[in-house]
Amino acid sequence: MGVVIESSVWEPNASLFVFIFFSCLLSVFLLPYATKSSSPSPFQLGVSPSFLRFKRNFLLIYSLASVLGGIWSVFGEFEWSNYGVSREQMVLILVVGFGASLLVGTSLGVLSDIVGQRKMTLIFCLLHLFVGVWKRLTAHPSVWLASICLSVASSIFSYSFETWMVLEHEKQGHRQDLLSDTFWLMTFFESASLIGSQALANRLVRTGGKTHLASAFSATILLALISIICISWLSKESYQAAEVENRKMSYASVLPDKRIWLLAYAQASVHFSVSIVWILWAPTLVADGREVHLGLIYPCLLGARMLGTAIFPWVISGSSLRTEECLVYTFIISGLAVFIIAYDYQEIGVLVSLFCLFHACIGIILPSLARLRTMYVPNELRGGMISLSLAPANAAVLLFLLQGGYYRNVGNSAIMGLSAIGLFSSAACMHFLKRLGKQPYSNWHKL
């Protein structure tokens, strides 16, 4: 008589999804009753109708762009396995992608401040449109070229939409203090759009028990076309191209500022940590042959980031903490979460909780850093400064992909440990940034 060994696949409890959903819902809809009158909420009636209309239109475009990027990230590995791509080839594809982000993405970031951010957002949509059309028409498209195009598009997404929104906000004469609400709403809608893109991609790829990649490609083509139309409609005025010499002089006057370097280091460490966690979270959970329903954990992580983002306006408006002080504590908590994941073996439930805690912290960190950029970075240099701050992070990820993923000279725990150290050091940077600020909120702009 044979012995039957039952194996169970771990998946998060359904109550976790309910908790995250209702927590985000209550946090957003109760915010107008808790915010102070000096800090308008996104639903407050005192805000001008033109600003609300501008913010709604921009968030719609930003959400469409997030869905575009999310669809490719969801079924990217599924597409690779469908084409028979090996593990080593997958690592090399990621290496090529981060290399393109390092070289091309950084250059385009500096160039975006000269040619205008609206044109860069259109390039983002055109890159997705090109990849979608090319894969739709080609039986066996090159994954290398697709990785380059999508990585460059991801780099553009990281700086152009935020910079374009800030410049449009300034051009239309809206109050600078209203930007904080737009920043956290951007992160909130991005996370929600990524969850929606997962549901959409799963629906398109799996239809009637068969695999239909062509339908997913068609959806990206349609979304890219809609995004191009919306961007062209939202901003009809062309951005005045800046002179190269003026930009050089501006960089020369800004770079000696220590606050810029501290802020850039913090941004780089966040980008490095997020990239490493997104690459290693699945291998960490399935280590030692553990069976995990990864498709259900993915929305949990994004939901945790949404919850952290929904907490951000409560922290900023409901406490006396400055943004830098809030970031000190948040960086320490996120660093501890990553450090425990890296060096302390835990059960799957504990690991998922730690990953959720990390993403909740990221939901607070991202709008906080955007707020600090408005205080310390000139708007006309914002795109270039963001792209330059991401360049060291992309180079570090590229190095560890080669040494850890391809040559296997560095373990996953060591890589995640380094990302934790980066987060701890970022907390120190925020502490020094607070001390360097002579005024409560020294700003390049008039508030």
Side-chain angles (χ1 to χ4, degrees):
M1 180 176 175
V3 178
V4 178
I5 301 176
E6 295 183 359
S7 61
S8 59
V9 179
W10 191 94
E11 60 184 40
N13 195 303
S15 59
L16 179 60
F17 298 97
V18 177
F19 170 76
I20 292 176
F21 175 78
F22 281 103
S23 297
C24 293
L25 194 67
L26 291 174
S27 180
V28 171
F29 283 99
L30 292 179
L31 181 62
Y33 303 99
T35 51
K36 301 176 183 179
S37 58
S38 60
S39 179
S41 72
F43 309 103
Q44 194 167 332
L45 298 178
V47 181
S48 63
S50 61
F51 171 74
L52 292 177
R53 183 171 56 253
F54 160 75
K55 183 161 65 173
R56 284 195 301 265
N57 294 334
F58 173 78
L59 289 176
L60 172 62
I61 295 175
Y62 190 74
S63 299
L64 288 174
S66 300
V67 173
L68 266 177
I71 289 179
W72 293 114
S73 64
V74 168
F75 69 89
E77 293 187 7
F78 174 81
E79 182 188 8
W80 295 345
S81 61
N82 188 62
Y83 292 143
V85 179
S86 64
R87 177 191 178 278
E88 289 73 17
Q89 289 176 322
M90 289 184 184
V91 173
L92 289 178
I93 291 171
L94 291 175
V95 168
V96 170
F98 277 97
S101 298
L102 175 61
L103 299 177
V104 183
T106 305
S107 302
L108 288 178
V110 178
L111 184 64
S112 66
D113 290 326
I114 300 176
V115 302
Q117 301 298 334
R118 177 173 170 269
K119 294 180 181 179
M120 300 306 299
T121 57
L122 289 174
I123 292 176
F124 166 85
C125 298
L126 290 173
L127 287 172
H128 281 281
L129 179 62
F130 167 74
V131 174
V133 172
W134 182 52
K135 290 194 173 188
R136 187 67 178 83
L137 299 178
T138 307
H140 298 285
S142 172
V143 293
W144 306 97
L145 182 58
S147 177
I148 293 174
C149 293
L150 295 178
S151 297
V152 172
S154 178
S155 296
I156 295 175
F157 179 83
S158 64
Y159 53 77
S160 283
F161 283 92
E162 177 189 318
T163 308
W164 179 46
M165 183 275 296
V166 172
L167 291 173
E168 286 290 327
H169 185 101
E170 184 181 46
K171 184 175 67 175
Q172 296 182 19
H174 300 305
R175 287 161 43 193
Q176 290 287 340
D177 60 328
L178 297 176
L179 280 172
S180 294
D181 284 327
T182 309
F183 289 145
W184 76 261
L185 285 173
M186 285 172 62
T187 308
F188 188 87
F189 276 85
E190 179 190 358
S191 302
S193 300
L194 291 176
I195 296 176
S197 67
Q198 183 202 22
L200 177 61
N202 290 334
R203 178 67 178 174
L204 293 172
V205 171
R206 294 291 187 182
T207 305
K210 298 182 179 179
T211 301
H212 295 280
L213 291 176
S215 59
F217 301 151
S218 300
T220 58
I221 295 172
L222 178 61
L223 287 173
L225 290 174
I226 294 175
S227 300
I228 292 173
I229 295 173
C230 291
I231 292 174
S232 303
W233 168 76
L234 178 61
S235 179
K236 295 182 174 60
E237 295 183 3
S238 60
Y239 179 78
Q240 296 294 328
E243 297 180 2
V244 178
E245 291 299 326
N246 291 340
R247 284 292 177 265
K248 292 181 179 180
M249 295 177 60
S250 299
Y251 275 109
S253 62
V254 168
L255 289 179
D257 192 345
K258 296 179 180 178
R259 297 172 300 180
I260 299 294
W261 287 96
L262 293 173
L263 189 58
Y265 179 86
Q267 182 67 48
S269 67
V270 169
H271 182 69
F272 175 74
S273 300
V274 171
S275 300
I276 292 300
V277 168
W278 273 111
I279 293 173
L280 297 180
W281 74 271
T284 301
L285 292 179
V286 300
D288 300 331
R290 295 176 292 197
E291 297 186 19
V292 184
H293 201 314
L294 299 177
L296 292 179
I297 297 178
Y298 179 82
C300 283
L301 302 181
L302 293 174
R305 193 170 82 165
M306 289 178 63
L307 182 57
T309 306
I311 295 174
F312 168 79
W314 291 81
V315 175
I316 295 300
S317 61
S319 68
S320 58
L321 289 177
R322 288 180 48 171
T323 306
E324 298 91 331
E325 293 174 315
C326 177
L327 281 173
V328 169
Y329 300 119
T330 311
F331 273 123
I332 292 175
I333 295 173
S334 61
L336 285 174
V338 175
F339 188 82
I340 295 173
I341 293 172
Y343 292 107
D344 189 11
Y345 181 86
Q346 298 288 345
E347 296 295 332
I348 297 179
V350 178
L351 286 175
V352 173
S353 300
L354 290 171
F355 278 121
C356 288
L357 177 61
F358 169 78
H359 283 86
C361 292
I362 294 299
I364 299 176
I365 290 173
L366 292 180
S368 300
L369 290 178
R371 194 168 190 240
L372 291 179
R373 280 193 288 271
T374 303
M375 299 173 187
Y376 299 121
V377 179
N379 289 339
E380 61 273 12
L381 302 179
R382 193 184 189 104
M385 295 301 294
I386 295 175
S387 64
L388 289 173
S389 65
L390 299 182
N394 288 326
V397 175
L398 180 65
L399 174 64
F400 287 116
L401 277 174
L402 287 172
Q403 293 297 322
Y406 191 77
Y407 295 109
R408 303 188 182 184
N409 294 329
V410 183
N412 292 345
S413 59
I415 298 175
M416 295 193 72
L418 287 173
S419 67
I421 294 175
L423 293 172
F424 289 139
S425 58
S426 295
C429 289
M430 292 300 100
H431 174 71
F432 289 124
L433 182 63
K434 174 180 175 294
R435 295 182 61 183
L436 285 175
K438 296 181 180 180
Q439 299 177 359
Y441 283 109
S442 55
N443 199 335
W444 286 85
H445 323 289
K446 294 181 180 179
L447 297 179

